[in-house]
Amino acid sequence: MHHSLALIALGLLTACSSPQPAADNSAQPRAVTTLPVVIRTATGRHRFDVEVARTEAEQERGLMFRKQLAPDGGMLFPMDPPRTASFWMKNTVIPLDMLFIHTDGSIAFIGANVAPYSREPVSAGVPVAAVLELAGGRAAALGIGEGDRVAWGACAVPGAPSSGDLNFCPGGSD
């Protein structure tokens, strides 16, 4: 009888405990939504296939603990409604470029090559429609600058699978 009660108690404790997040985000299966993003610059178009941080929890986690990021990868943080966003690099082990995107699709500000683990806030200081994080130094390497135009989803790549509410078609971006 005591053995059965001990097993039941152990089962309840296991069921009630919340799993701890993996330090590198790799051990936890999660659905990853990727989206094409195109940035139009004076030198041409640059395509990225990025993850989307839609929920508050996904936006809080961002790219924390990631040890690498593909040159054509990144993460998009949609802001609906647009708001003044502020990011930091707590628990982020790789440098990042942070592109703050106006509601008209133009890049408002680039936090370039932001240092890992920095707790210094990075912000455009104005409401934005989204923030796009790329591998540190990638924007400079491609000549991406403030004022360049950004679109994503089927608006960025005609014929791409529909992304529903994630399509961003600012006027004049194509």
Side-chain angles (χ1 to χ4, degrees):
M1 176 77 171
H2 291 295
H3 187 313
S4 296
L5 288 176
L7 285 176
I8 291 171
L10 180 61
L12 288 173
L13 283 174
T14 303
C16 292
S17 66
S18 58
Q20 296 300 311
D24 65 356
N25 282 350
S26 64
Q28 294 216 1
R30 63 183 178 103
V32 175
T33 302
T34 59
L35 196 64
V37 172
V38 172
I39 301 174
R40 190 178 76 191
T41 70
T43 60
R45 294 173 185 255
H46 306 284
R47 178 179 170 163
F48 301 87
D49 288 300
V50 303
E51 297 175 44
V52 179
R54 294 189 75 161
T55 68
E56 186 176 330
E58 289 170 340
Q59 290 192 1
E60 286 177 10
R61 182 176 51 248
L63 291 170
M64 287 182 180
F65 306 109
R66 302 285 180 94
K67 294 181 180 170
Q68 60 186 14
L69 186 60
D72 63 346
M75 185 170 279
L76 182 70
F77 299 77
M79 307 285 161
D80 188 20
R83 65 184 178 272
T84 303
S86 182
F87 284 58
W88 65 349
M89 297 287 286
K90 178 183 176 187
N91 297 323
T92 306
V93 301
I94 56 174
L96 296 174
D97 287 343
M98 298 178 188
L99 287 66
F100 293 79
I101 304 163
H102 282 297
T103 57
D104 70 356
S106 64
I107 298 173
F109 175 74
I110 298 176
N113 221 7
V114 181
Y117 301 108
S118 173
R119 291 181 183 244
E120 186 72 28
V122 179
S123 177
V126 297
V128 294
V131 176
L132 175 63
E133 292 183 341
L134 304 174
R138 194 72 175 130
L142 295 174
I144 297 169
E146 293 176 9
D148 289 342
R149 309 286 294 190
V150 184
W152 54 82
C155 301
V157 179
S162 177
S163 302
D165 65 332
L166 287 178
N167 291 326
F168 184 69
C169 309
S173 68
D174 281 335

